[in-house]
Amino acid sequence: MFFISLLLAVLSLQRHAALALSPQFIDCQLQKSANVSPLSGCPQGTIFVSQTDKRAAFTSIQAAVESLPPTGDAIILIGQGVYQEIVNVSRTAPLTLLGQLPSSARAKLSQPFANATSANLNLVQVFGTVFDVTGQDDDTTAVLTVAPNAPGALIGAGTDGAPLQPVFGNVDFKAYNIDWQNRAANFAISQALVTDISYSNASFYGCSFASYQDTWYTGRNASTYVVDSVIFGQTDYLFGFGTAWFQNVILANRACGGGLVAWKGNNQTFAPGNRYGAYISDSQVIRSPEANATTVTTGKCFLGRPWNDDAITVYLNTFMDASINAVGFIPFDSARPVIMNTTFYAEFNSTGKWLSSSQFSLFIIPFVQTGPGGNTSGRTPVEHILNATTLAAGDFTIDGVFLEHPQWIDFDYLF
Ligand SMILES: *[C@@H]1O[C@H](CO)[C@@H](O)[C@H](O)[C@H]1NC(C)=O
Ligand SMILES: *[C@@H]1O[C@H](CO)[C@@H](O)[C@H](O)[C@H]1NC(C)=O
Ligand SMILES: *[C@@H]1O[C@H](CO)[C@@H](O)[C@H](O)[C@H]1NC(C)=O
Ligand SMILES: *[C@@H]1O[C@H](CO)[C@@H](O)[C@H](O)[C@H]1NC(C)=O
Ligand SMILES: *[C@@H]1O[C@H](CO)[C@@H](O)[C@H](O)[C@H]1NC(C)=O
Ligand SMILES: *[C@@H]1O[C@H](CO)[C@@H](O)[C@H](O)[C@H]1NC(C)=O
Ligand SMILES: *[C@@H]1O[C@H](CO)[C@@H](O)[C@H](O)[C@H]1NC(C)=O
Ligand SMILES: *[C@@H]1O[C@H](CO)[C@@H](O)[C@H](O)[C@H]1NC(C)=O
Ligand SMILES: *[C@@H]1O[C@H](CO)[C@@H](O)[C@H](O)[C@H]1NC(C)=O
Ligand SMILES: *[C@@H]1O[C@H](CO)[C@@H](O)[C@H](O)[C@H]1NC(C)=O
């Protein structure tokens, strides 16, 4: 009885539920035997991309994207492979990209996808190798661009970045089980983006995103949602202007530099009612298991720095390991040495409670690890720590920050 209640206590500490999949798409995503159409189980009209399978309509993802008519929902199934290409989505109508999964995945779905070790079930990788050079906009480096047009993809500099565009791009972009990588270098060579999602609504399920500097970008007027995924980076590796919710993600520090999040906000005069910001919920911030062994991270990574003074960054129920510096957030740089009071940084229930898999055993009395990064007593100012009252007042929920219950998020995805 003692062990059963102990086991139940242990299981309740496990961060994730028992399944990680899209009930809607899993039959389409699983690889089939050679005599079965790869599109069996897929919604009608799904387009198949493969570098090797003769039954594919296209050998590159971008060729399939460019074949799409301007209107109507579209789904593209991407066969197993490593694709070196830039994916650029400018259509406004809904588009879903599905990565193939091994047929064995069905049996392994009792694990969450998000796992920062090299092992995950995804069979599709998409990579680019471009990094920023002086004089170019960072947008030229993105592996995946979802934006209405070239001016809309621009990032720019200064308080407000590139000029605001009067257009909107994709209303519902989704990607499932794809590993996106910028392989420009195995260190922070310069800005080397994985995503540029601007003036669009986009969501990602069971994906990973890997670079060093500026991995993830949610641009102006964009709303993004990432769940059960891993994001690898070093410097400012979540950055942007828009509203971004990260749910059950692993933020894997390959090294430390700048801040983890570097956001730009807008004041309420300029954009009344806006909740632009980065919101990280039920997630983990850890040293990446694949970080170079010679790289020191302990106490050297910061949760964020304000790209402009209206930045909003909130961590909810998130585990933080020893790579997080006790003060949490830092000023942008020596030219802007103070975090202004218009910047909103907050944490709720940052924790070190986590059970490592080696401790997950019936026969060894399990114990809870404490992540030193979750010790918030050194944070300045202390108002950055939310309590139940200020948490509720802030309405830091998905519906709260997107100002509606977003129709473009797949809430049926299990994680
Ligand atoms: C992550 O993957 C590693 C290697 O396959 C495995 O040992 C570990 O249990 C996994 N972690 C979780 C939380 O599933
Ligand atoms: C993406 O496509 C749009 C529309 O065709 C084009 O204007 C833009 O330059 C493209 N961006 C990239 C990075 O190729
Ligand atoms: C983009 O956001 C600005 C405020 O930040 C707003 O004035 C504008 O209408 C929005 N544009 C679109 C196309 O949604
Ligand atoms: C609000 O933001 C706009 C755009 O960045 C800026 O021009 C304006 O001065 C700001 N207003 C206040 C009161 O800070
Ligand atoms: C790890 O870092 C060391 C020192 O900077 C470097 O010499 C080595 O090439 C790196 N290893 C890898 C695999 O990147
Ligand atoms: C704090 O976070 C832990 C781990 O995510 C969670 O189990 C617990 O319920 C949270 N506590 C509150 C008060 O939300
Ligand atoms: C913010 O700081 C300014 C001075 O930089 C001060 O005038 C203002 O009262 C402060 N606002 C709050 C809410 O503390
Ligand atoms: C928590 O952090 C404070 C200030 O950084 C430090 O004094 C204290 O020893 C830490 N507590 C633990 C349990 O590590
Ligand atoms: C919650 O935090 C706010 C702001 O720091 C503070 O005014 C309030 O007294 C706190 N409430 C509780 C119950 O601790
Ligand atoms: C994009 O998402 C936001 C937040 O959910 C929503 O308010 C907006 O209407 C959406 N835009 C379009 C064009 O669907």
Side-chain angles (χ1 to χ4, degrees):
M1 195 59 209
F2 172 71
F3 278 107
I4 290 171
S5 51
L6 197 59
L7 179 65
L8 289 175
V10 166
L11 287 174
S12 71
L13 284 169
Q14 290 284 76
R15 191 72 45 120
H16 300 277
L19 291 164
L21 62 82
S22 160
Q24 186 186 359
F25 294 123
I26 187 70
D27 289 335
C28 176
Q29 289 179 271
L30 292 180
Q31 282 184 318
K32 321 288 182 309
S33 52
N35 58 348
V36 175
S37 165
L39 288 172
S40 74
C42 296
Q44 200 171 10
T46 300
I47 296 171
F48 183 49
V49 172
S50 169
Q51 295 164 329
T52 53
D53 191 321
K54 297 276 182 291
R55 295 168 294 186
F58 300 96
T59 55
S60 83
I61 304 162
Q62 186 58 18
V65 169
E66 284 174 9
S67 78
L68 298 172
T71 56
D73 293 12
I75 301 174
I76 297 173
L77 173 67
I78 306 165
Q80 172 171 12
V82 179
Y83 298 78
Q84 179 173 6
E85 55 174 297
I86 298 304
V87 177
N88 177 18
V89 176
S90 54
R91 91 191 297 255
T92 57
L95 172 60
T96 296
L97 302 184
L98 302 174
Q100 246 183 357
L101 288 167
S103 56
S104 62
R106 199 188 286 281
K108 292 184 185 163
L109 290 169
S110 58
Q111 295 173 347
F113 164 79
N115 188 327
T117 63
S118 55
N120 75 50
L121 297 173
N122 290 350
L123 296 177
V124 174
Q125 293 177 17
V126 183
F127 79 97
T129 58
V130 182
F131 60 93
D132 201 45
V133 294
T134 307
Q136 280 192 328
D137 190 274
D138 297 354
D139 80 321
T140 54
T141 70
V143 180
L144 169 67
T145 299
V146 183
N149 53 29
L154 288 174
I155 293 166
T159 306
D160 294 320
L164 198 57
Q165 299 300 310
V167 281
F168 203 82
N170 202 280
V171 300
D172 184 354
F173 175 85
K174 292 187 174 83
Y176 295 77
N177 300 102
I178 298 171
D179 292 336
W180 305 89
Q181 305 158 351
N182 189 317
R183 299 189 191 166
N186 60 357
F187 58 94
I189 185 168
S190 71
Q191 294 89 336
L193 279 57
V194 175
T195 60
D196 175 346
I197 297 160
S198 299
Y199 303 92
S200 296
N201 289 344
S203 55
F204 295 82
Y205 309 82
C207 289
S208 74
F209 308 88
S211 184
Y212 286 81
Q213 184 168 345
D214 295 357
T215 308
W216 178 275
Y217 178 69
T218 300
R220 290 196 93 156
N221 287 40
S223 294
T224 60
Y225 174 81
V226 181
V227 65
D228 192 25
S229 295
V230 187
I231 306 178
F232 297 89
Q234 168 179 338
T235 303
D236 302 344
Y237 67 94
L238 303 182
F239 82 116
F241 289 90
T243 307
W245 188 278
F246 300 92
Q247 180 68 43
N248 287 72
V249 299
I250 295 174
L251 301 172
N253 296 320
R254 291 176 145 178
C256 303
L260 198 164
V261 179
W263 220 258
K264 275 183 184 170
N266 278 131
N267 62 42
Q268 295 294 324
T269 316
F270 181 79
N274 86 77
R275 302 288 311 264
Y276 301 152
Y279 305 88
I280 296 140
S281 182
D282 306 300
S283 294
Q284 297 176 59
V285 184
I286 59 169
R287 175 188 165 92
S288 179
E290 45 81 85
N292 188 328
T294 65
T295 301
V296 178
T297 50
T298 303
K300 292 192 179 303
C301 290
F302 294 90
L303 294 172
R305 59 175 186 164
W307 197 19
N308 79 11
D309 293 333
D310 290 316
I312 296 178
T313 300
V314 181
Y315 287 87
L316 306 167
N317 303 318
T318 290
F319 170 84
M320 298 172 186
D321 80 358
S323 55
I324 298 306
N325 185 281
V327 302
F329 297 89
I330 47 161
F332 193 76
D333 58 17
S334 56
R336 288 168 43 211
V338 175
I339 299 178
M340 303 300 278
N341 63 12
T342 49
T343 301
F344 185 80
Y345 279 151
E347 292 170 69
F348 177 72
N349 189 29
S350 293
T351 178
K353 287 186 182 140
W354 180 253
L355 211 61
S356 73
S357 55
S358 63
Q359 294 162 341
F360 184 41
S361 156
L362 245 188
F363 304 105
I364 299 170
I365 291 183
F367 62 96
V368 166
Q369 287 187 326
T370 296
N375 173 0
T376 55
S377 60
R379 301 287 200 265
T380 46
V382 73
E383 296 79 57
H384 290 184
I385 307 304
L386 300 173
N387 58 35
T389 310
T390 47
L391 179 78
D395 196 7
F396 299 107
T397 60
I398 293 171
D399 294 9
V401 306
F402 290 117
L403 307 169
E404 62 164 15
H405 188 61
Q407 300 299 305
W408 47 273
I409 292 177
D410 174 2
F411 288 105
D412 293 331
Y413 179 86
L414 301 171
F415 61 93

